[in-house]
């Protein structure tokens, strides 16, 4: 298999994996947003408060509940979701183009390959930033839920502990941890796509420069101009005899 087809096939596989990873970011974030009634758990701040709960037949009992002072900014969750949606749409479109190029046995132009490299690098930085935001925001929410790790349970176990909030917290750790791992996977795939796009650009540029200019470069290296080679290679007409009278 030729090098350009191998690079194109690897790029197709990276696009297909990016679609799957992007869906694993979008779906958990959408479920978490629905469970939290449109609020963002990332970077939320709060504290635990102990209250006495009076029963009719039992003595008063102490009840600990989480009080959220301020929910996280919606822009953090929306940015993470946007990166996931863009990855799914872009991966699907580019995957279709890769299959079309594999079937037609041709590749992008140099300008299109350059734009692909530029776009891949830009989205790589965006996905990396979104991964950092999601990781830091998730860690901040876990510190709030576990009261800076002073509670007798971990962040994973806290989703089965009643927090007495007006939102559904029964699966927040599963959703956010899945979105976090998938988003870091998306970042790794964008890095792979950037490298593959650069290799395809370099290979296309080498083929473009090595085609019409290869023969001319060889002639210049041999110290012979193209016009001289043409004139030397063309046959000379036979000399006619001269008759003196």
């Amino acid at each position: 298999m030729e090098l350009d087809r191998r690079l194109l096939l690897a790029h197709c596989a990276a696009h297909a994996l990016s679609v799957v990873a992007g869906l694993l970011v979008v779906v958990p974030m959408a479920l978490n947003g629905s469970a939290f009634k449109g609020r963002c758990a990332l970077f939320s701040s709060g504290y635990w408060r102990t209250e006495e709960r009076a029963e009719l037949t039992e003595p008063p009992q102490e009840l600990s509940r989480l009080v959220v002072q301020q929910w996280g900014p919606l822009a953090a969750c929306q940015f993470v979701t946007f990166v996931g949606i863009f990855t799914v749409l872009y991966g699907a479109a580019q995957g279709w183009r890769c299959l079309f190029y594999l079937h037609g046995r041709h590749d992008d132009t140099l300008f299109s390959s350059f734009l692909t490299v530029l776009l891949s690098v830009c989205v790589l930085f965006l996905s990396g930033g979104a991964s950092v935001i999601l990781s830091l925001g998730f860690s901040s929410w876990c510190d709030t839920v576990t009261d800076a790790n002073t509670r007798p349970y971990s962040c994973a176990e806290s989703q089965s502990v009643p927090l007495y909030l007006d939102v559904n917290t029964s699966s927040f750790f599963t959703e956010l941890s899945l979105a976090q791992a998938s988003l870091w996977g998306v970042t790794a795939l964008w890095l792979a796509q950037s490298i593959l796009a650069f290799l395809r650009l370099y290979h296309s540029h080498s083929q473009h420069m090595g085609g019409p200019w290869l023969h001319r470069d060889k002639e210049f290296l041999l110290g012979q101009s193209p016009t001289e080679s043409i004139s030397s290679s063309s046959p000379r007409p036979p000399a006619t005899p001269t008759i003196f009278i």
Side-chain angles (χ1 to χ4, degrees):
M1 186 182 294
E2 299 177 357
L3 178 60
D4 53 350
R5 289 185 61 81
R6 284 183 292 180
L7 290 175
L8 190 58
L9 186 61
H11 218 165
C12 288
H15 286 310
L17 291 176
S18 66
V19 171
V20 177
L23 288 175
L24 292 178
V25 174
V26 175
V27 174
M29 292 300 296
L31 293 176
N32 184 258
S34 177
F36 277 64
K37 299 180 180 180
R39 300 165 185 169
C40 185
L42 306 180
F43 301 104
S44 298
S45 59
Y47 62 93
W48 283 87
R49 184 172 61 188
T50 303
E51 299 175 349
E52 289 187 356
R53 184 176 181 180
E55 298 288 345
L56 296 178
T57 58
E58 297 180 0
Q61 297 179 355
E62 290 186 352
L63 176 66
S64 296
R65 57 173 301 178
L66 178 63
V67 178
V68 178
Q69 290 179 315
Q70 184 178 4
W71 289 100
L74 288 177
C77 293
Q78 291 172 354
F79 180 62
V80 172
T81 306
F82 165 75
V83 172
I85 293 175
F86 181 82
T87 301
V88 172
L89 297 179
Y90 183 81
Q94 290 295 327
W96 181 85
R97 291 180 72 238
C98 283
L99 293 177
F100 176 75
Y101 288 153
L102 282 174
H103 180 72
R105 293 183 176 273
H106 60 87
D107 205 347
D108 283 335
T109 61
L110 286 177
F111 182 71
S112 180
S113 299
F114 174 75
L115 290 181
T116 302
V117 173
L118 187 62
L119 182 61
S120 299
V121 172
C122 292
V123 183
L124 170 63
F125 284 103
L126 286 178
S127 60
S131 301
V132 173
I133 289 174
L134 180 56
S135 298
L136 294 179
F138 186 28
S139 177
S140 175
W141 171 248
C142 284
D143 288 340
T144 301
V145 170
T146 59
D147 199 9
N149 296 324
T150 58
R151 290 283 162 176
Y153 45 80
S154 63
C155 187
E157 298 170 346
S158 63
Q159 65 180 3
S160 59
V161 175
L163 303 180
Y164 301 101
L165 296 173
D166 59 342
V167 296
N168 184 10
T169 59
S170 60
S171 59
F172 77 89
F173 184 84
T174 303
E175 295 163 352
L176 292 180
S177 59
L178 178 60
Q180 180 185 13
S182 301
L183 191 56
W184 280 111
V186 166
T187 303
L189 287 171
W190 276 113
L191 177 60
Q193 291 183 36
S194 301
I195 296 174
L196 289 172
F198 176 77
L199 291 177
R200 287 175 60 189
L201 174 63
Y202 178 77
H203 184 67
S204 299
H205 178 71
S206 300
Q207 284 187 335
H208 179 75
M209 296 300 295
W213 299 99
L214 183 60
H215 182 67
R216 182 175 297 180
D217 292 340
K218 287 182 178 180
E219 291 176 347
F220 278 122
L221 289 175
L222 294 175
Q224 186 179 15
S225 64
T227 56
E228 292 177 354
S229 63
I230 295 175
S231 61
S232 61
S233 60
S234 59
R236 295 182 178 179
T240 57
T242 305
I243 301 176
F244 295 95
I245 300 175

